[in-house]
Coordinates of all heavy atoms in Angstrom, one line a residue:
C276 N 0.9 -1.2 0.0 CA 0.0 0.0 0.0 C 0.9 1.2 0.0 O 2.1 1.2 0.4 CB -1.0 0.0 1.2 SG -0.4 0.6 2.7
M277 N 0.3 2.3 -0.4 CA 1.0 3.6 -0.4 C 1.0 4.2 1.0 O 0.1 4.0 1.8 CB 0.4 4.6 -1.3 CG 0.3 4.2 -2.8 SD 2.0 3.8 -3.5 CE 2.7 5.5 -3.5
K278 N 2.2 4.8 1.4 CA 2.3 5.3 2.7 C 1.2 6.4 2.9 O 0.6 6.5 4.0 CB 3.6 6.0 2.9 CG 3.8 6.6 4.3 CD 5.2 6.9 4.7 CE 5.8 8.0 4.0 NZ 7.2 8.4 4.6
A279 N 0.8 7.2 1.9 CA -0.2 8.2 2.0 C -1.6 7.5 2.4 O -2.3 8.1 3.2 CB -0.3 9.0 0.8
D280 N -1.9 6.4 1.8 CA -3.1 5.7 2.1 C -3.1 5.1 3.5 O -4.1 5.1 4.2 CB -3.4 4.5 1.1 CG -3.6 5.0 -0.3 OD1 -4.1 6.1 -0.5 OD2 -3.3 4.2 -1.3
F281 N -2.0 4.7 4.0 CA -1.8 4.2 5.3 C -2.0 5.3 6.3 O -2.7 5.2 7.3 CB -0.5 3.5 5.5 CG -0.2 3.0 6.9 CD1 -1.1 2.1 7.5 CD2 0.8 3.5 7.7 CE1 -0.9 1.6 8.8 CE2 1.1 3.0 8.9 CZ 0.2 2.0 9.5
I282 N -1.4 6.5 6.0 CA -1.6 7.7 6.9 C -3.1 8.1 6.9 O -3.6 8.4 8.0 CB -0.7 8.8 6.5 CG1 0.8 8.4 6.7 CG2 -1.1 10.1 7.2 CD1 1.8 9.4 6.1
E283 N -3.7 8.0 5.8 CA -5.1 8.4 5.7 C -6.0 7.4 6.6 O -6.9 7.9 7.3 CB -5.6 8.3 4.3 CG -7.0 8.7 4.0 CD -7.4 8.5 2.6 OE1 -6.7 9.1 1.7 OE2 -8.4 7.8 2.3
W284 N -5.7 6.1 6.5 CA -6.4 5.2 7.4 C -6.1 5.4 8.8 O -7.0 5.4 9.7 CB -5.9 3.7 7.0 CG -6.5 2.7 7.9 CD1 -7.7 2.2 7.8 CD2 -5.8 2.1 9.0 NE1 -7.9 1.3 8.9 CE2 -6.8 1.2 9.6 CE3 -4.6 2.3 9.6 CZ2 -6.4 0.5 10.7 CZ3 -4.3 1.5 10.7 CH2 -5.2 0.6 11.3
L285 N -4.9 5.8 9.2 CA -4.6 6.1 10.6 C -5.4 7.3 11.1 O -5.9 7.3 12.2 CB -3.1 6.4 10.8 CG -2.1 5.2 10.8 CD1 -0.7 5.7 10.9 CD2 -2.4 4.3 12.0
D286 N -5.5 8.3 10.3 CA -6.2 9.5 10.6 C -7.7 9.2 10.8 O -8.3 9.6 11.7 CB -6.1 10.6 9.6 CG -4.7 11.2 9.6 OD1 -4.0 11.1 10.6 OD2 -4.3 11.8 8.6
R287 N -8.3 8.3 9.9 CA -9.7 7.9 10.0 C -9.9 7.2 11.3 O -10.9 7.4 12.0 CB -10.1 7.1 8.8 CG -10.4 7.8 7.6 CD -11.2 6.9 6.6 NE -10.7 5.6 6.5 CZ -9.9 5.2 5.5 NH1 -9.4 6.0 4.6 NH2 -9.5 3.9 5.5
E288 N -9.0 6.2 11.6 CA -9.1 5.4 12.8 C -9.0 6.3 14.1 O -9.8 6.2 15.0 CB -8.0 4.4 12.9 CG -8.2 3.2 11.9 CD -9.4 2.4 12.3 OE1 -9.6 2.0 13.5 OE2 -10.3 2.2 11.4
R289 N -8.1 7.3 14.1 CA -8.0 8.2 15.2 C -9.2 9.0 15.4 O -9.7 9.2 16.5 CB -6.7 9.1 15.0 CG -6.5 10.0 16.3 CD -5.3 10.8 16.1 NE -5.4 11.7 15.0 CZ -4.5 11.9 14.1 NH1 -3.4 11.2 14.1 NH2 -4.7 12.7 13.1
N290 N -9.7 9.6 14.3 CA -10.9 10.4 14.4 C -12.1 9.6 14.8 O -13.0 10.1 15.6 CB -11.2 11.1 13.0 CG -10.2 12.1 12.6 OD1 -9.5 12.6 13.5 ND2 -10.1 12.4 11.4
Q291 N -12.2 8.3 14.3 CA -13.3 7.5 14.7 C -13.3 7.1 16.2 O -14.3 7.2 16.9 CB -13.3 6.2 13.9 CG -14.5 5.3 14.2 CD -14.4 4.0 13.4 OE1 -13.6 3.9 12.5 NE2 -15.4 3.1 13.6
S292 N -12.1 6.8 16.7 CA -11.9 6.5 18.1 C -12.2 7.7 19.0 O -12.8 7.6 20.1 CB -10.6 5.9 18.4 OG -9.6 6.9 18.3
Q293 N -11.9 8.9 18.6 CA -12.2 10.1 19.3 C -13.7 10.4 19.4 O -14.2 10.8 20.4 CB -11.5 11.3 18.7 CG -10.0 11.3 19.0 CD -9.3 12.5 18.2 OE1 -9.8 13.2 17.4 NE2 -8.0 12.6 18.5
Q294 N -14.4 10.1 18.3 CA -15.8 10.2 18.3 C -16.5 9.2 19.2 O -17.5 9.5 19.9 CB -16.4 10.1 16.9 CG -16.0 11.3 16.0 CD -16.5 11.0 14.5 OE1 -17.0 10.0 14.2 NE2 -16.3 12.0 13.7
E295 N -16.0 8.0 19.2 CA -16.5 7.0 20.1 C -16.3 7.3 21.6 O -17.1 6.9 22.4 CB -15.9 5.6 19.8 CG -16.4 5.1 18.4 CD -15.7 3.8 18.0 OE1 -14.8 3.4 18.8 OE2 -16.0 3.3 16.9
E296 N -15.2 8.0 21.9 CA -14.9 8.3 23.3 C -15.9 9.4 23.8 O -16.2 9.4 25.0 CB -13.5 8.8 23.4 CG -12.5 7.7 23.3 CD -11.1 8.2 23.3 OE1 -10.9 9.4 23.5 OE2 -10.1 7.4 23.1
S297 N -16.4 10.2 23.0 CA -17.3 11.3 23.4 C -18.7 10.7 23.8 O -19.1 9.7 23.2 CB -17.5 12.4 22.4 OG -18.1 11.8 21.2
T298 N -19.3 11.2 24.8 CA -20.6 10.7 25.3 C -21.7 11.1 24.3 O -21.8 12.2 23.9 CB -20.9 11.3 26.6 OG1 -19.8 11.1 27.5 CG2 -22.2 10.7 27.2
P299 N -22.5 10.1 23.8 CA -23.6 10.4 22.9 C -24.6 11.3 23.6 O -24.8 11.2 24.8 CB -24.1 9.0 22.5 CG -23.4 8.0 23.3 CD -22.4 8.7 24.1
E300 N -25.3 12.1 22.8 CA -26.3 13.0 23.3 C -27.5 12.2 24.0 O -28.1 12.7 24.9 CB -26.9 13.9 22.2 CG -25.8 14.8 21.7 CD -26.3 15.7 20.5 OE1 -27.5 15.7 20.3 OE2 -25.5 16.3 19.8
N301 N -27.9 11.1 23.5 CA -29.0 10.4 24.0 C -28.6 9.4 25.1 O -29.4 8.6 25.6 CB -29.7 9.6 22.9 CG -28.8 8.6 22.2 OD1 -27.7 8.5 22.5 ND2 -29.4 7.9 21.3
Y302 N -27.4 9.5 25.7 CA -27.0 8.6 26.8 C -27.7 9.1 28.1 O -27.7 10.3 28.4 CB -25.5 8.7 26.9 CG -25.0 7.9 28.1 CD1 -24.8 6.5 27.9 CD2 -24.6 8.5 29.2 CE1 -24.4 5.8 29.0 CE2 -24.1 7.7 30.3 CZ -24.0 6.4 30.2 OH -23.5 5.6 31.2
E303 N -28.3 8.1 28.8 CA -28.9 8.4 30.1 C -28.1 7.8 31.2 O -27.7 6.6 31.1 CB -30.3 7.8 30.1 CG -31.3 8.5 29.1 CD -32.6 7.9 29.2 OE1 -33.0 7.4 30.3 OE2 -33.4 8.0 28.2
M304 N -27.8 8.6 32.2 CA -27.1 8.1 33.4 C -28.0 7.1 34.1 O -29.2 7.2 34.2 CB -26.7 9.2 34.3 CG -25.7 10.2 33.7 SD -24.1 9.4 33.5 CE -23.6 9.1 35.2
P305 N -27.4 6.0 34.7 CA -28.2 5.1 35.5 C -28.8 5.8 36.7 O -28.2 6.6 37.3 CB -27.2 4.0 35.9 CG -25.9 4.5 35.5 CD -26.0 5.6 34.6
I306 N -30.0 5.4 37.0 CA -30.7 6.0 38.1 C -30.1 5.6 39.5 O -29.9 6.4 40.4 CB -32.2 5.7 38.1 CG1 -32.8 6.3 36.8 CG2 -32.9 6.3 39.3 CD1 -34.2 5.8 36.6
Q307 N -29.8 4.3 39.6 CA -29.3 3.8 40.9 C -28.4 2.7 40.6 O -28.5 1.9 39.7 CB -30.6 3.3 41.6 CG -30.3 2.7 43.0 CD -31.5 2.2 43.6 OE1 -32.6 2.2 43.0 NE2 -31.4 1.8 44.9
I308 N -27.3 2.6 41.4 CA -26.4 1.5 41.4 C -26.5 0.8 42.7 O -26.3 1.4 43.8 CB -25.0 2.0 41.1 CG1 -24.9 2.7 39.8 CG2 -24.0 0.8 41.2 CD1 -23.5 3.3 39.5
T309 N -26.8 -0.5 42.7 CA -26.9 -1.3 43.9 C -25.9 -2.4 43.9 O -25.4 -2.9 42.9 CB -28.3 -2.0 44.0 OG1 -28.5 -2.8 42.9 CG2 -29.4 -0.9 44.1
K310 N -25.5 -2.8 45.1 CA -24.5 -3.8 45.3 C -25.2 -5.2 45.3 O -26.0 -5.4 46.2 CB -23.7 -3.6 46.5 CG -22.5 -4.5 46.7 CD -21.7 -4.2 47.9 CE -20.5 -5.1 48.0 NZ -19.7 -4.8 49.2
G311 N -24.9 -6.0 44.3 CA -25.4 -7.4 44.2 C -24.6 -8.3 45.0 O -23.7 -8.0 45.8
A312 N -24.9 -9.6 44.9 CA -24.2 -10.6 45.6 C -22.7 -10.7 45.3 O -21.8 -10.7 46.2 CB -24.8 -12.0 45.4
R313 N -22.4 -10.6 44.0 CA -21.0 -10.7 43.6 C -20.5 -9.5 42.8 O -19.3 -9.4 42.5 CB -20.8 -11.9 42.7 CG -21.0 -13.2 43.6 CD -20.6 -14.4 42.7 NE -20.7 -15.6 43.6 CZ -20.6 -16.8 43.1 NH1 -20.3 -17.0 41.9 NH2 -20.7 -17.8 43.9

């Protein structure tokens, strides 16, 4: 492969992972966290 294509892929992967790290707008925080048996 061409180095330019590889760099392009790296940039796409980095941008995609940065988008996945951000919290989605429709994300709801859990109301309650309880301690189960394990």
Side-chain angles (χ1 to χ4, degrees):
C276 83
M277 299 301 295
K278 181 165 73 170
D280 292 333
F281 179 58
I282 291 171
E283 181 182 308
W284 174 81
L285 280 175
D286 289 339
R287 279 195 319 264
E288 287 294 309
R289 184 179 61 230
N290 292 337
Q291 182 179 358
S292 68
Q293 288 173 352
Q294 289 174 356
E295 290 173 359
E296 289 175 3
S297 63
T298 306
E300 293 176 14
N301 59 356
Y302 177 77
E303 294 181 25
M304 292 294 292
I306 298 170
Q307 180 182 7
I308 299 177
T309 59
K310 187 174 182 182
R313 293 189 177 169

